[in-house]
């Protein structure tokens, strides 16, 4: 007899924990989704009987491989590479590659799981995947990074392709690394095809892709504020990180009349009470993207700004907070400080930047809280549009893409609202994103039967 008992959350997570021993980030990400989806499937027998949630928590496959390369001293280095192909029910796997010393299989499985829901929310035909390596490009020369990327792609190429799996960048993988990876894919496969996104314009990239995640986060934030009868103009914001997402989110905030007070990196944060304006941000862009410098240098350059080594910015009073660096960077203490200082909205630019305890606090406090899988989906959405442009051998103009991104983020906001609005009119965006993303993938899986 088939069973359609609904396990409680603890029992469900015990099973996930046992099957994925030691993979704490993955268990955390599943727990956050299951907390909303289990009550939902209690009223939807079709998903329950087909064990859809249980099936979604098992990646389609996890590919792990050796990456061997020679450093500038002629020494042989050995790293590990992965591609997690989580779910391709609604389209080819899609999700970035992360190169960082703290990459583990658990981190990539959590990211691929989250990506599945995020990609579903965009409305575009993209499944969820993620990959990367524990290789840390930070202390490496350009020649070493090139050799590593070529070695990495020499294995990865057999698992990807425009109709199979389309990786992109993420932490540690920017346009330089995408160039090396795409060049090697093209060389080995003998084909020019859109097997990667985040490419430079010269060889098939999309306009606006670089800016899309950060800009999209601010579009989502504006929608949340407007839905609550508020507006961006005149607010103060703290932003963490100083990478692709953080800097473009800051750029859009400034353009919308918001005073941006902070930026950070993994060594500490800078607080500029006068606000980081366009000119200062241009300087940071050159510092981080061209010179690969540290954010501490900002305080030496601009009088009035203070650098706080080894700290995150959450204790700085603000109306809006945008964690845009990395997972679990915003803990319960940070959440408490933000709430005590009267924060009005928190919107996640990074993937899972809030710990479970922090996100529970925001939801309980009833502030506007935009979860990553909805708020930072603008990047992958424009990646989806890059795939379409490559398939058509077309380049679309920036204005057209900007309009599409704005409309996509509004649509994602509205989907979250439709599934997350309570009787009092308040929107729980976390619940809305989890349920809307789940339903889209689940309905496709139901149509395929048992597999
Ligand atoms: P980048 O590599 O461009 O920037 C990452 C930033 O985060 C850097 O400033 C880095 O500082 C900082 N950082 C990294 N680790 C830590 C840490 N442990 N504590 C504090 N700061 C840290 O990456 P992206 O901007 O592309 O990505 C940032 C986040 O956004 C990630 O979670 C990513 O998955 C997510 N994201 C990115 C998308 C994209 O389009 N790029 C799309 C959707 C999500 P340092 O220089 O010191 O390492």
């Amino acid at each position: 007899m088939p069973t359609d008992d609904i396990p409680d959350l603890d029992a469900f997570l015990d099973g996930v924990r046992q099957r994925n021993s030691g993979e704490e980030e993955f268990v955390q990400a599943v727990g956050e989704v299951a907390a909303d989806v289990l009550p939902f499937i209690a009223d939807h027998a079709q998903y329950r009987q087909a064990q859809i949630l249980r099936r979604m928590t098992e990646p389609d496959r996890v590919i792990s491989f050796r990456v061997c390369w020679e450093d500038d001293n002629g020494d042989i280095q050995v790293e590990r590479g992965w591609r997690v192909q989580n779910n391709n029910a609604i389209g080819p796997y899609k999700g970035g590659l992360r190169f960082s010393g703290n990459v583990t299989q658990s981190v990539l499985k959590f990211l691929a799981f989250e990506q599945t829901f995020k990609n579903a929310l965009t409305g575009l035909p993209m499944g969820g995947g993620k990959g990367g390596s524990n290789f840390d490009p930070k202390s490496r020369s350009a020649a070493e990074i090139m050799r590593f990327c070529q070695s990495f792609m020499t294995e990865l190429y057999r698992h990807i392709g425009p109709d199979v799996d389309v990786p992109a960048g993420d932490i540690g993988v920017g346009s330089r690394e995408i160039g090396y990876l795409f060049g090697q894919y093209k060389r080995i496969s003998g084909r020019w095809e859109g097997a990667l996104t985040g490419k430079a314009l010269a060889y098939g990239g999309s306009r606006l892709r670089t800016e899309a995640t950060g800009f999209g986060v601010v579009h989502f934030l504006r929608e949340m504020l407007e839905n609550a009868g508020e507006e961006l103009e005149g607010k103060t914001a703290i932003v963490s990180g100083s990478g692709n997402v953080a800097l473009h989110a800051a750029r859009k905030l400034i353009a919308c009349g918001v005073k941006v007070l902070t930026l950070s990196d993994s060594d500490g944060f800078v607080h500029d009470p006068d606000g980081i304006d366009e000119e200062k941000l241009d300087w940071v862009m050159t510092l981080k993207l061209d010179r690969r410098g540290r954010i501490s240098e900002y305080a030496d350059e601009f009088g009035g700004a203070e650098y706080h080594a080894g700290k995150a910015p959450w204790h700085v009073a603000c109306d809006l907070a945008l964690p845009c660096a990395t997972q679990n960077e915003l803990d319960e203490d940070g959440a408490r400080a933000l709430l005590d200082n009267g924060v009005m909205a928190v919107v996640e630019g990074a993937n899972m930047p809030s710990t479970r305890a922090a996100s529970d606090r925001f939801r309980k406090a009833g502030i506007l809280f935009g979860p990553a899988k909805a708020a930072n989906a603008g990047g992958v959405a424009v990646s989806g549009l890059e795939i379409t442009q490559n398939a058509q051998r077309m380049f679309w103009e920036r204005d057209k893409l900007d309009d599409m991104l704005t409309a996509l983020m509004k649509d994602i906001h509205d989907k979250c609202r439709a599934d997350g609005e309570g009787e009092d009119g308040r929107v729980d965006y976390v619940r809305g994103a989890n349920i809307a993303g789940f339903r889209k993938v689940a309905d496709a899986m139901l149509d395929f039967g048992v597999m």
Side-chain angles (χ1 to χ4, degrees):
M1 271 291 280
T3 170
D4 73 342
D5 289 349
I6 323 157
D8 70 17
L9 181 61
D10 289 340
F12 184 80
L13 285 183
D14 280 347
V16 175
R17 204 169 278 114
Q18 269 170 25
R19 289 189 295 277
N20 302 276
S21 173
E23 298 189 338
E24 282 312 314
E25 294 87 355
F26 178 64
V27 176
Q28 180 185 344
V30 171
E32 287 182 12
V33 169
D36 290 318
V37 169
L38 284 173
F40 172 73
I41 61 179
D43 298 331
H44 295 80
Q46 71 276 32
Y47 304 130
R48 209 165 62 228
Q49 284 158 0
Q51 298 283 340
I52 295 288
L53 184 61
R54 167 77 178 80
R55 284 156 63 182
M56 277 187 188
T57 60
E58 206 61 55
D60 289 355
R61 67 192 62 79
V62 178
I63 301 151
S64 157
F65 51 96
R66 181 181 67 239
V67 188
C68 205
W69 60 285
E70 192 177 333
D71 70 17
D72 286 346
N73 299 322
D75 292 330
I76 303 303
Q77 303 287 338
V78 184
E79 329 278 355
R80 188 167 292 175
W82 288 271
R83 186 69 185 164
V84 180
Q85 296 181 330
N86 193 65
N87 187 302
N88 67 352
I90 62 169
Y93 305 104
K94 180 91 199 83
L97 297 171
R98 179 176 292 192
F99 293 167
S100 161
N102 58 19
V103 163
T104 60
Q105 182 167 297
S106 169
V107 167
L108 297 177
K109 278 173 69 178
F110 116 64
L111 289 165
F113 180 77
E114 286 278 299
Q115 193 83 42
T116 303
F117 294 82
K118 181 188 312 194
N119 293 1
L121 285 171
T122 67
L124 299 174
M126 300 183 290
K130 202 85 186 188
S133 172
N134 58 332
F135 169 74
D136 198 339
K138 253 189 239 156
S139 54
R140 296 295 180 183
S141 70
E144 289 177 319
I145 290 170
M146 181 187 74
R147 287 196 292 276
F148 173 81
C149 288
Q150 290 177 343
S151 182
F152 183 85
M153 184 52 84
T154 301
E155 173 59 32
L156 185 69
Y157 92 98
R158 69 189 81 242
H159 307 290
I160 64 172
D163 296 321
V164 181
D165 184 351
V166 187
D170 191 74
I171 291 179
V173 181
S175 58
R176 174 181 61 177
E177 290 75 20
I178 291 288
Y180 295 145
L181 291 163
F182 186 72
Q184 183 72 352
Y185 177 86
K186 190 170 65 60
R187 174 158 77 174
I188 304 177
S189 67
R191 288 190 299 275
W192 191 107
E193 57 189 11
L196 289 172
T197 60
K199 301 186 291 299
L201 265 185
Y203 58 91
S206 174
R207 293 186 174 88
L208 207 74
R209 173 61 189 91
T210 313
E211 301 90 334
T213 306
F215 282 15
V217 170
V218 179
H219 288 314
F220 192 87
L221 172 60
R222 190 185 50 230
E223 291 297 329
M224 289 200 305
L225 287 170
E226 283 178 3
N227 191 58
E230 291 281 349
E231 61 176 12
L232 276 169
E233 182 148 16
K235 301 284 187 300
T236 55
I238 59 176
V239 176
S240 70
S242 50
N244 175 288
V245 180
L247 296 180
H248 291 105
R251 170 88 65 211
K252 187 56 104 183
L253 286 170
I254 296 166
C256 293
V258 175
K259 188 175 186 182
V260 176
L261 299 173
T262 68
L263 287 170
S264 72
D265 60 23
S266 52
D267 295 330
F269 78 94
V270 281
H271 176 201
D272 186 342
D274 297 332
I276 300 167
D277 59 19
E278 284 282 353
E279 215 174 296
K280 293 173 179 174
L281 192 66
D282 286 344
W283 184 89
V284 179
M285 288 246 175
T286 308
L287 170 80
K288 296 303 279 189
L289 305 179
D290 296 347
R291 290 204 281 121
R292 297 180 191 266
R294 309 306 300 160
I295 202 67
S296 58
E297 295 172 46
Y298 182 100
D300 304 330
E301 181 74 14
F302 300 108
E306 284 172 11
Y307 176 63
H308 301 266
K311 296 214 166 76
W314 317 126
H315 290 257
V316 175
C318 61
D319 302 313
L320 315 168
L322 290 82
C324 294
T326 193
Q327 67 267 8
N328 291 329
E329 56 169 317
L330 172 46
D331 61 8
E332 191 172 12
D333 174 60
R336 202 181 299 118
L338 284 168
L339 291 168
D340 287 350
N341 281 327
V343 73
M344 174 187 290
V346 177
V347 64
E348 297 185 326
N351 283 315
M352 204 169 72
S354 313
T355 63
R356 182 68 195 274
S359 79
D360 285 350
R361 269 194 182 262
F362 295 139
R363 290 172 80 178
K364 206 161 156 214
I367 61 156
L368 299 173
F369 178 50
K373 62 173 74 69
N376 73 19
V380 74
V382 174
S383 274
L385 302 177
E386 183 175 332
I387 295 174
T388 307
Q389 292 171 80
N390 289 168
Q392 295 182 352
R393 299 286 189 263
M394 288 282 291
F395 290 97
W396 296 341
E397 291 306 324
R398 189 182 165 92
D399 285 353
K400 173 179 172 138
L401 287 156
D402 208 7
D403 289 348
M404 289 173 99
L405 174 65
T406 309
L408 264 156
M409 295 313 298
K410 179 172 177 5
D411 184 56
I412 294 172
H413 171 272
D414 293 351
K415 282 178 186 146
C416 295
R417 188 181 56 190
D419 276 308
E421 196 164 42
E423 279 169 11
D424 61 358
R426 277 217 187 133
V427 183
D428 181 337
Y429 287 94
V430 178
R431 193 177 74 226
N434 284 336
I435 292 174
F438 171 83
R439 200 176 26 226
K440 169 105 193 221
V441 180
D443 286 342
M445 289 173 74
L446 279 181
D447 284 353
F448 302 147
V450 179
M451 58 174 63

